[in-house]
């Protein structure tokens, strides 16, 4: 390996990922005066965050002044079925408004209310209109704003130091394949430039993971090639732990037809703005699927539901706005019972409910996208939609305040979709974009502090770098193995068919067996061609990450014998309070995934006091309820 | 459902390459990017191509399809004849890395040179108040997905690498326009900067950029032209000056140019309000001749039939002047190699007839 050239860089903080979380973390680290690198698999400004449409949830109370952080906190916990890390949900609800306002100082231009404030829209699971938005391209606004803020910091540095890259540098189209350790401390990250295939080593005492999700392991997904669970796998291999990996969000309304738009999401704001779901018989079926926990808040008749759009204070909301797992499950049942569309979805109809002009004004990019991509005119015909793999709630187990990874490693931080806990078993729409900002900032800041406190810089070992080079080159040097594309397809089939939206014990066991087979095949994958911008080679390297993360998901899904949020077991269809207080934690034992149970942290009295006893009764065990009663009694005395 | 289609795809790297033929299965409802993915999964696993969202949102999959700059994920196969061979090549304006992937770092450099948003000094976060109508102007430009198709198509740099250092390109003109129109941006020199440092003067409003923009941003009409007009408002504009000489005794309609610069519109407070009234809505009686049609078909038709002093045509780009309103004396202080033309660098003589506000009454009826 001696002839392999490796470029070396020294930084204080290395941020892996240039989505909302990564960029916000990098800004914070740079503001703390640290020399910061941002690494991203694709070009600067193209990360997944760009695709988010609906908005960013923050209880600013601009549209309904009754909104505040307590209400947002309550909605988040409810949405996550009380499995959330309460402290993260609390911090998120409290800090989101500041993070959004801060974006305005970076130049963001959100849609406005009539009194000139940031407008907020309704979204599934949020009690009040809460999502700051820009038409239906909120993610683009967010990422562009952060990108431009970074540019502005670079301009300051250019003035001060003569170079744009003096204190913050973006390494685009660069993939990190390995984290390097010095004992239990992070010492750096190793990767390759996609363009040239050359290797690069970043020596840094603190690394922030902000690599997003894992959706590429599924057949129908809204996620791009980047979502191969790299950050999850890097964390595992570095000795950190993952939690809640059984919880994946299947977006209820991804397009299922025509094929050019398959997997593309129809934003929930279509439902927020009056769109309704109908089966092949033309029935508005969501009324049949309101679970008991939500009965009080949702309308029972079409008339009441329709009145809500204009008079939300005196009517209950339409069931189309139920949390997305409920909607996904409802669609799934309709299709299974033979009332689906020919392509296996249901109809989402806004055309018959709003004027063409209004649809175009409120959903411009949605309209534009379907018109251009599929020649579907959403102002005239209903869309064919069905569940699509969309978001992973599980991720790196972190300290809620600092984003530092738990487990046997120091100097590793995680924020955004790659981190776990915040969303519990199910994420509310719009809570991700604000999550990126809140915890991106925190992780970046704490990583900087950590780097400051170190007295000695951890050192990268030569042997570890050589091993990383060898692993990276292996697929190119083998010509006996299978094609990475074939392997990816097989993996997607296993996950889509056996660990999909509705799960069963037998199928999950089968999945475990097949994943074990795949593991051997992936270990022998070969790629043709050279190191220069070779997508086959890149995929071959991503596969092992996809595989280990899929194993975590399958194992945890098999273990959790209940249905909750983004995890539905046909053989255990109900939520079980005993499972509510358990997190499933994955770690690596050598090469193999190990699963352990860990109790959830207990909510502080003033937070649990925000809920009704009647509501808590649906989630808590009898002992927990007794404790709650004792608390309220104490408070009343 | 599927059918076999012919594809020719450029394969190679910076040392050279050529078009390779492929026969691929194409299914109903697919786009060009689907076909490229099928090729990667079968015949050409190392075919290099950027993509992310497959939904026209990230601007990664820019390529030239049958010579037209397009997004691969937004080009439906049904737009081609079954028998047609589809030719896919990399963006021509940027150096090739491999196959369909080009080195677009030029754009990121230009982005870095464009001065960032300057927050208002005395407004706290959370206290920003803006009207929807005011933010909409800038929001149009913020729709940009940075696909760089407009940069790729612009003739100023398409086959002219030598212009690249001095020319930021349409993507960054609209960035400047966006900030110029931002209701709370504290900088007031966005247009001057675009003119003096971004090479706005190179642009002669061919509108090719607008034509290829997948986000349908009206790059020229809403971004470049208003900037050029307003740059010229505060500068020496030879034709306005000429008009003033001829119609000295007040017959001349008030123009924004004549009223503007003498009363010193360059002060910060006034400019924003003024700029807005000017940029979005109809112009306040601006009378200017030459340098391209007004793009208003009714006014154009009228103009074809005689004198129409109310036709609004874009201003020429006048040279930069110093604080006293004079042309710079030496080339050293100017941003071009030669002395500026007193009539604006984008004006050539004789002026083409369609750029005049006078046409012979018996001239042929216009085609449209
Ligand atoms: C279609 C769609 C619509 C959505 N709509 C909404 C919405 O309306 N509201 C909402 O709140 N959320 C929404 N979400 C969810 C939200 O967009 C994502 O969860 C969020 O953007 C994730 O951001 P992130 O910063 O964690 O990661 P990302 O933005 O995904 O960025 C990940 C980054 O990590 C980099 N990376 C990954 N692996 C590596 C590696 N090995 N080496 C180097 N770099 C690497 C990638 O290149 C990328 O830059 C939506 C998601 C999708 C897919
Ligand atoms: S209008 Fe100007 S910027 Fe646009 S393509 Fe033509 S010359 Fe280039
Ligand atoms: S302005 Fe249009 S064409 Fe140019 S980069 Fe932006 S989206 Fe692409
Ligand atoms: S892949 Fe994102 S625009 Fe085509």
């Amino acid at each position: 390996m001696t002839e392999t050239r490796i470029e070396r860089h020294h930084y204080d903080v290395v941020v892996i990922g240039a989505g909302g979380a990564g960029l916000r973390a990098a800004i914070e680290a740079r503001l703390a005066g640290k020399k910061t690198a941002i690494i991203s698999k694709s070009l600067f400004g193209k990360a997944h965050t760009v695709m988010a449409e609906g908005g960013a949830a923050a209880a600013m109370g601009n549209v309904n002044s009754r909104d505040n952080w307590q209400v947002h906190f309550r909605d988040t916990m409810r949405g996550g079925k009380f499995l959330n890390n309460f402290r993260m949900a609390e911090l998120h609800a409290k800090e989101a408004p500041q993070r959004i306002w801060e974006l305005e100082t970076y130049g963001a231009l959100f849609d406005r209310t009539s009194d000139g404030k940031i407008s907020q829209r309704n979204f599934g699971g949020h009690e009040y209109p809460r999502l700051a938005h820009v038409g239906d391209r909120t993610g683009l606004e967010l990422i562009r704003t952060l990108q431009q803020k970074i540019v502005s910091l670079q301009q300051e540095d250019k003035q001060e130091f003569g170079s744009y890259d003096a204190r913050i540098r973006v390494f685009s189209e660069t993939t990190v394949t390995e984290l390097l350790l010095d004992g239990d401390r992070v010492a750096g990250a190793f990767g390759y430039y996609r363009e040239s295939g050359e290797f690069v080593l970043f020596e840094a005492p603190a690394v922030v993971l902000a690599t997003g999700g894992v959706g590429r392991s599924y057949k129908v997904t809204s996620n791009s090639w980047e979502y191969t669970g790299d950050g999850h796998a890097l964390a595992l291999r570095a000795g950190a732990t993952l939690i809640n990996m059984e919880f994946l969000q299947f977006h209820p309304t991804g397009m299922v037809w025509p094929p050019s738009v398959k997997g593309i999401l129809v934003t929930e704001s279509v439902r927020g703005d009056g769109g309704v779901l109908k089966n092949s018989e033309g029935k508005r079926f969501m009324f049949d699927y309101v679970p008991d926990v939500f009965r009080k808040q949702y309308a029972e008749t079409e008339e009441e539901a329709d009145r809500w759009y204009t008079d939300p204070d005196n009517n209950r909301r339409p069931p189309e706005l139920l949390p997305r797992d409920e909607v996904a499950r409802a669609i799934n049942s309709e299709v299974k019972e033979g009332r689906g569309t020919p392509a296996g979805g249901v109809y989402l109809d806004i055309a018959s409910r709003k004027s063409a002009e209004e649809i175009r004004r409120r959903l411009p990019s949605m309209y534009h996208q379907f018109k251009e991509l599929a020649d579907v005119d959403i102002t005239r015909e209903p869309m064919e939609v069905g569940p699509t793999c969309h978001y992973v709630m599980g991720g790196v187990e972190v300290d809620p305040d600092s984003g530092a990874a738990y487990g046997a490693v120091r100097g590793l931080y995680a924020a955004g979709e790659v981190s776990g806990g915040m969303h519990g078993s199910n994420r509310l729409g719009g809570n991700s974009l604000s999550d990126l900002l809140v915890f991106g900032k925190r992780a970046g800041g704490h990583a900087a502090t950590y780097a400051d406190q170190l007295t000695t810089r951890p050192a990268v070992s030569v042997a570890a770098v050589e091993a990383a080079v060898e692993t990276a080159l292996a697929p190119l040097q083998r010509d006996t193995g299978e094609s990475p594309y074939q392997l990816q397809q097989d993996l997607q089939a296993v996950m889509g068919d056996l660990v999909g939206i509705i799960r069963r014990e037998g199928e999950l066991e089968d999945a475990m067996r097949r994943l074990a087979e795949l593991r051997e095949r992936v270990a022998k994958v070969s790629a043709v061609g050279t190191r220069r911008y070779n997508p086959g080679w890149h995929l071959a390297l991503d596969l092992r990450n996809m595989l280990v993360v899929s194993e975590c998901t399958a194992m945890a899904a098999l273990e959790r014998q209940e249905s909750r949020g983004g995890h539905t077991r046909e053989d255990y269809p109900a939520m079980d309070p005993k499972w509510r207080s358990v997190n499933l934690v994955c770690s690596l034992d050598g090469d193999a995934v190990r699963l352990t149970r860990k109790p959830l942290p207990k909510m502080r009295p003033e937070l649990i006091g925000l809920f009704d006893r009647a509501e808590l009764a649906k989630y808590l065990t009898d002992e927990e309820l007794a404790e709650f009663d004792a608390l309220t009694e104490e408070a009343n005395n | 459902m599927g059918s076999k289609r012919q594809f020719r795809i450029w394969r190679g790297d910076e040392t050279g390459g050529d078009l390779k033929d492929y026969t691929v299965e194409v299914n109903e409802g697919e786009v060009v990017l689907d076909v490229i993915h099928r090729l990667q999964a079968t015949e050409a696993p190392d075919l290099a191509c950027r993509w992310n969202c497959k939904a026209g949102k990230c601007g990664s999959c820019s390529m030239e399809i049958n010579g037209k700059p397009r997004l691969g994920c937004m080009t439906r196969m049904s737009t081609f004849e079954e028998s047609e061979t589809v030719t896919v090549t990399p963006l021509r304006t940027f150096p090739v890395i491999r196959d369909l992937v080009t080195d677009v770092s030029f754009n990121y450099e230009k982005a870095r040179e464009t001065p960032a948003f300057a927050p208002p000094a005395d407004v706290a976060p959370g206290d920003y108040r803006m009207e929807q109508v005011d933010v909409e102007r800038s929001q149009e430009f913020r729709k940009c997905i940075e696909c760089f198709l407009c940069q790729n198509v612009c003739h100023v740099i398409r086959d002219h690498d030598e212009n690249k250092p001095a020319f930021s390109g349409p993507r960054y003109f609209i960035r400047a326009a966006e900030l110029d129109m931002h209701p709370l941006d504290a900088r007031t020199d966005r247009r001057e900067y675009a003119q003096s440092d971004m090479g706005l003067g190179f642009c002669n409003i061919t509108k090719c950029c607008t034509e290829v923009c997948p986000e349908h941003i009206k790059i020229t009409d809403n971004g470049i032209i208003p900037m050029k007009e307003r740059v010229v408002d505060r500068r020496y504009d030879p034709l306005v000056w000429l008009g003033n000489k001829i119609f000295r005794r007040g017959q001349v309609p008030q123009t924004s140019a004549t009223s503007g610069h003498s009363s010193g519109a360059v002060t910060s407070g006034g400019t924003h309000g003024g700029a807005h009234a000017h940029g979005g809505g109809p112009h306040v009686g601006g009378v200017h001749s030459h340098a391209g049609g007004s793009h208003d078909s009714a006014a154009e038709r009228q103009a074809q039939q005689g004198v129409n002093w109310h036709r609004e045509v874009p201003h020429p780009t006048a040279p930069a002047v110093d604080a006293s309103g004079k042309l710079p004396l030496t080339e050293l202080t100017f941003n071009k190699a030669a002395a500026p033309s007193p009539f604006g660098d984008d004006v050539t003589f004789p002026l083409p007839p369609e750029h005049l506000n006078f046409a012979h009454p018996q001239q042929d009826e216009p085609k449209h």
Side-chain angles (χ1 to χ4, degrees), chain A residues 50, chain B residues 33 50-62 71-74 145 147:
Chain A
V50 108
Chain B
L33 190 63
R50 285 197 181 103
W51 71 284
N52 269 40
C53 65
K54 208 177 161 297
K57 285 174 180 289
C58 71
S60 302
C61 61
S62 306
L71 295 178
C73 72
M74 295 295 279
I145 57 173
C147 64

Side-chain angles (χ1 to χ4, degrees), chain B residues 81-102:
Chain B
E81 298 292 327
E82 285 233 352
S83 56
E84 196 174 342
T85 299
V86 180
T87 307
V88 187
T89 49
L91 298 182
R92 189 165 98 194
T93 305
F94 310 115
V96 166
I97 291 174
R98 212 167 76 80
D99 304 341
L100 302 177
V101 175
T102 54

